Amino acid sequence: AGLMMVGAFAAATSDCRKALEHLKDYNPLSMNLDNEAELMSYLRADGGITLMSKISARLGRAFMKLGNIEDAQKAVEQTMRILNSASVCHQKIQAHAAQNGMSIPRDMQGLSEKVLLQCKTDAVLNMADLKKITEDLNGIERMGGVVKDIDSTVASNINRQIYPKINAILQIAPGNVEMQESKVLCLASLKRWSELSSYCEGLACANILSEGVFTEDLKELNSYPKSSPSMYLQSAISTDDELLNARQVAEAVQWIPRRIVKLYMRSLRLEERYIEASHACVAMASLLESECNEPIWSPNQRRQKAWLNWIEKEKDKIRKTMKRKDEGDSCYRQGEYLLAAEKYAEVLLIDSDKIGFYSSSPWECETAGGRLHAVLHCNRAACLMALRLFDEAAKECTAALRLQTNYMKALLRRARCYARLERFDESISEYNHWSGLVQEAKANPYARNENDCSFDRGTDVSDRDYQKTMAELAEVIKLKKNQEQKLREAAENAKRRASSAFNRRQQWYDQQEGTSGPRRWDSFNGSSPKREPNRRSYSTSRRNASSFRSSTRHNSTNDSDNSSSRKKKSQQSKANKPSPQRKAKASPTSSSVTCHYAVLQVLKTVSQSDIKKAYHKLALKYHPDKNSSDSAADVFRKIKLAYETLSNEKSRRLYDMERSQPRF
C-alpha cells in the first residue's frame, strides 16, 4: 500500500506476489476442522484466507495502475476465486461450530466478513476499470494509433481524436508509461507546448516521490537508476500554478521517461524558457556520459552519440533564437520595421525545413507553435502595421491566434487592422470579444479556461488600457455609421439618376411610337435631346400642306423628267447594297459597320434568344477585362448598344421602322 501511494506500482506488484507466496498454504479443501487454532486462523481479518483476498485485490489494482491489462485481468479472476473459497470456508467453520458447540468470537467473524466484502467491491471496480481501458485501447487501435510524426499534417487531426481516450486511460492507469508517451506526442502534435511542459514536470514530481524506495530486492525495478539525488525538485510543487526554475528543471529532466525528454526540452525553448532549456541540456548530457562506459562500437555508445549530437543542435537553436529575437526587438525600437520583421521570420524558420518560405507569406506556414511563435507572429504584425500593411498584419495576428486562441494582444491588433481596412463589422466583433474576455477575467480572476492564453490573459489588462480600447471601439462604431450613411446616400443618388434617365428615355419612345420620328434615343448615345421638338399647330400644317401641293404642280414636269434617272440610281444603290447575309458576317471592330444586326453578326429575322447568344459570345471576346486591345472598349460599347436596342421588342420595332424609311 505504501509503494502504491508513492507511485512505485511495479514494486507494489512485486511485494504482493511475494506475500501471496507466503499464504499459499491456506487451502479450504485441506482445512482441519478438528484443529480449533487452525480454524481461527482462517477467520482472522489480518491473516489467512482473508489476508490472501486483500493482497490479491491489491495486486490487481497495482497492475491496473501500471496499465498491465493481462496481469490485472488474471489478478481479478484470482481474487474472485479466493473470495469464493473464503465464503465456503466460513460456511464450513460456522456449521462445524454449531454442531460441536464451538464458540466463535463475534468481532472476529464480523471484521473478517467486512474485509472480504471490501475485497469483493475492489474486484468489481477493477473489472469495470478493465472494461473501460479495453474499450479505449480498442478505439485507439481502430484509429490507427498515435501518429508519432508530430510535424505531419495528419498528426494533429488523428491525435486530436485520440487524446481524450488517452486521458481517460491515464486517469485509471497513471503509471502506464506507453500512455504517458502517447499523451506527450498528442500535445506536441496539437502544439500545446505549455501543457506538455507542465505535464512532464508534474510527472517528474510524481516520480521523485519514489526516490530511495528501490533498494535491495527492489533495486532492479528502478526505472531511473542513474538519476542524481534530488536537491531542488520538491514533489509538493503544483506544476499547474508554478513553473519549475532552472535548477529544478535540470533535475526533472532526469526523472521522466527517456523517450519524451526531447519533446520536453523543445517545449522549454518554444515557451521562451531559455535558461531552463540550457540547464536541461547540460544535465542531460552529464547523465548520458555517466550511464554508458561501454566500448565505442557498442549500440549503447552509438545511441549516446546520437543523443549528444541532438543536444548540441538544441543548444544551437536556443542560441540562434535568443540572438535573432533580440536583434528583431532592437530593430523595432530603432524604427527599422521591415528589418525587424525579417529577423522575426528567421526565428520562425529555426523549426521549419522550408527555407525562405516566410519571405512571401509567413502566416500560411505550419510553425512548431508555442508561446515563442505566437509572440513572433504578433511582433511581425506590429511591424507591418507600422509599415501600413494592414492586410498582411491582420493575417499575422490570425496566425498568432491559431496558436494561442485568446491571445489578448493579437486580438486587439487584429481589431485595429480591420478598422484601418474599413472592415468595421469584423473590427467591432474583435473589440467586443476582447472586451468580453477582460470583463470575464476581472469578474473571476482565478478561473481558467482551456482556450485562455498562458501568458497574456484578461487579468493582465489595466483599467487605463481598457478605457482606451473602449474609446477606440466607440470611434470605430462612429466610422461605421458614417460609412453606412455615405453608402445610403450613394444608393439614393444612383437610384434617382437611374430613374430620371429611364423616365426621359421612356418619354422619348412614347412620343415616337406610331410616327416616323427624325431620330431615335440611341442615336444620342444614351442621352436624350436637350429639348423636345415643338409640335406644329393644325393651321400651320394646313398651310404647309397647300404650299407643298402647289409646288408639286409646278415641279411635276421636272419630276417626270428626272424620274428615270432616279430609278437608275435606286437600282444601282440596291445592287451595291450588301445583302443581310453579308452584313451579318461583318466585324464589329470595323468603323464602317453601324447596323446593329451587323454589329451582332446576325440576320434581321433572328429570334430574341439568338440575339442574346450572339451578344454573350461577342461580349466574352471584346469585353475590356478579356481583351487588352486599345479599341476593345469602343467595340464593346457598340456591341452593348446594339444588344440594348434589339433585345427589347419595342425598341427593335422602332429601329426596324427607322431603317425602312427612305433616306434623302
Side-chain angles (χ1 to χ4, degrees), residues 260-312:
I260 65 175
V261 169
K262 290 183 179 180
L263 291 176
Y264 172 56
M265 294 169 67
R266 187 182 181 187
S267 71
L268 293 174
R269 174 171 56 85
L270 292 175
E271 287 299 308
E272 296 189 291
R273 299 170 64 185
Y274 305 122
I275 298 176
E276 291 87 344
S278 300
H279 278 69
C281 289
V282 173
M284 197 64 201
S286 177
L287 178 63
L288 290 169
E289 291 174 356
S290 66
E291 281 184 347
C292 188
N293 296 319
E294 299 180 8
I296 194 171
W297 59 82
S298 66
N300 289 337
Q301 281 284 2
R302 288 197 294 270
R303 283 194 294 269
Q304 181 193 33
K305 185 177 180 180
W307 257 100
L308 293 173
N309 289 338
W310 183 90
I311 290 174
E312 288 301 320

Side-chain angles (χ1 to χ4, degrees), residues 407-663:
Y407 187 3
M408 303 298 290
K409 189 178 292 185
L411 280 171
L412 191 55
R413 284 181 180 169
R414 187 165 69 172
R416 290 167 177 166
C417 290
Y418 286 155
R420 302 299 190 279
L421 294 170
E422 297 186 356
R423 295 160 62 177
F424 296 122
D425 289 333
E426 295 172 87
S427 178
I428 292 171
S429 176
E430 292 292 300
Y431 274 115
N432 288 333
H433 185 198
W434 183 90
S435 174
L437 291 175
V438 173
Q439 293 175 3
E440 183 180 351
K442 297 291 185 182
N444 195 355
Y446 299 104
R448 289 293 182 92
N449 190 310
E450 62 178 4
N451 291 327
D452 283 346
C453 181
S454 58
F455 55 90
D456 187 14
R457 300 180 64 236
T459 52
D460 301 328
V461 178
S462 64
D463 293 337
R464 180 180 178 182
D465 291 339
Y466 180 78
Q467 296 299 330
K468 180 181 177 182
T469 305
M470 290 299 97
E472 292 179 11
L473 174 59
E475 183 65 24
V476 172
I477 294 174
K478 182 179 179 181
L479 292 173
K480 180 189 175 183
K481 291 181 179 179
N482 293 338
Q483 184 190 55
E484 291 175 347
Q485 180 64 25
K486 290 180 181 179
L487 290 174
R488 282 194 298 269
E489 292 176 356
E492 291 175 359
N493 292 334
K495 185 177 179 181
R496 194 180 302 113
R497 288 194 300 269
S499 177
S500 177
F502 176 79
N503 291 336
R504 292 198 306 271
R505 178 173 177 170
Q506 193 64 33
Q507 183 180 7
W508 176 254
Y509 278 134
D510 292 340
Q511 292 174 3
Q512 302 302 314
E513 188 172 5
T515 65
S516 57
R519 286 184 293 183
R520 295 184 63 261
W521 173 272
D522 286 329
S523 63
F524 295 96
N525 293 326
S527 61
S528 65
K530 298 303 180 181
R531 59 180 180 176
E532 297 180 1
N534 295 327
R535 298 189 178 220
R536 294 173 294 182
S537 62
Y538 178 73
S539 59
T540 305
S541 300
R542 290 286 301 273
R543 285 197 301 272
N544 291 341
S546 61
S547 62
F548 176 76
R549 283 194 295 271
S550 63
S551 64
T552 53
R553 276 194 229 100
H554 292 293
N555 296 329
S556 60
T557 56
N558 295 332
D559 290 340
S560 61
D561 294 336
N562 297 327
S563 61
S564 60
S565 62
R566 284 200 302 270
K567 286 181 180 180
K568 290 180 181 180
K569 290 182 180 180
S570 176
Q571 290 175 358
Q572 186 178 1
S573 64
K574 287 182 179 179
N576 295 332
K577 186 177 180 180
S579 64
Q581 186 70 20
R582 280 167 45 194
K583 277 189 179 180
K585 292 183 179 179
S587 173
T589 59
S590 176
S591 59
S592 61
V593 177
T594 58
C595 176
H596 292 334
Y597 292 103
V599 170
L600 295 179
Q601 297 180 344
V602 295
L603 299 175
K604 183 180 178 181
T605 58
V606 295
S607 63
Q608 294 295 111
S609 61
D610 291 335
I611 290 175
K612 186 175 183 180
K613 291 179 182 178
Y615 167 71
H616 284 300
K617 181 179 178 180
L618 294 172
L620 288 174
K621 183 177 180 180
Y622 293 104
H623 195 281
D625 293 341
K626 304 290 184 180
N627 195 321
S628 59
S629 64
D630 297 335
S631 61
D634 295 333
V635 174
F636 181 72
R637 280 194 290 271
K638 188 189 294 185
I639 293 169
K640 187 175 181 182
L641 176 61
Y643 175 69
E644 289 178 352
T645 303
L646 300 180
S647 61
N648 185 281
E649 294 183 357
K650 187 175 180 180
S651 62
R652 181 179 178 182
R653 185 170 63 253
L654 292 173
Y655 178 70
D656 292 341
M657 290 173 58
E658 179 184 350
R659 289 181 71 251
S660 63
Q661 296 296 325
R663 303 299 178 96

Side-chain angles (χ1 to χ4, degrees), residues 149-175:
D149 185 8
I150 60 172
D151 295 322
S152 65
T153 54
V154 298
S156 59
N157 295 329
I158 296 177
N159 291 352
R160 182 178 285 106
Q161 300 175 19
I162 293 177
Y163 183 68
K165 297 183 181 296
I166 293 175
N167 270 341
I169 293 174
L170 285 174
Q171 287 180 356
I172 301 173

Side-chain angles (χ1 to χ4, degrees), residues 223-240:
S223 301
Y224 311 100
K226 297 293 184 178
S227 299
S228 59
S230 174
M231 297 177 60
Y232 305 102
L233 185 61
Q234 301 297 324
S235 59
I237 293 178
S238 175
T239 54
D240 291 335

Side-chain angles (χ1 to χ4, degrees), residues 322-337:
M322 297 176 67
K323 180 180 178 181
R324 298 288 186 272
K325 191 170 182 295
D326 289 342
E327 289 175 353
D329 294 340
S330 177
C331 290
Y332 183 83
R333 287 191 293 268
Q334 296 173 9
E336 299 176 359
Y337 303 116

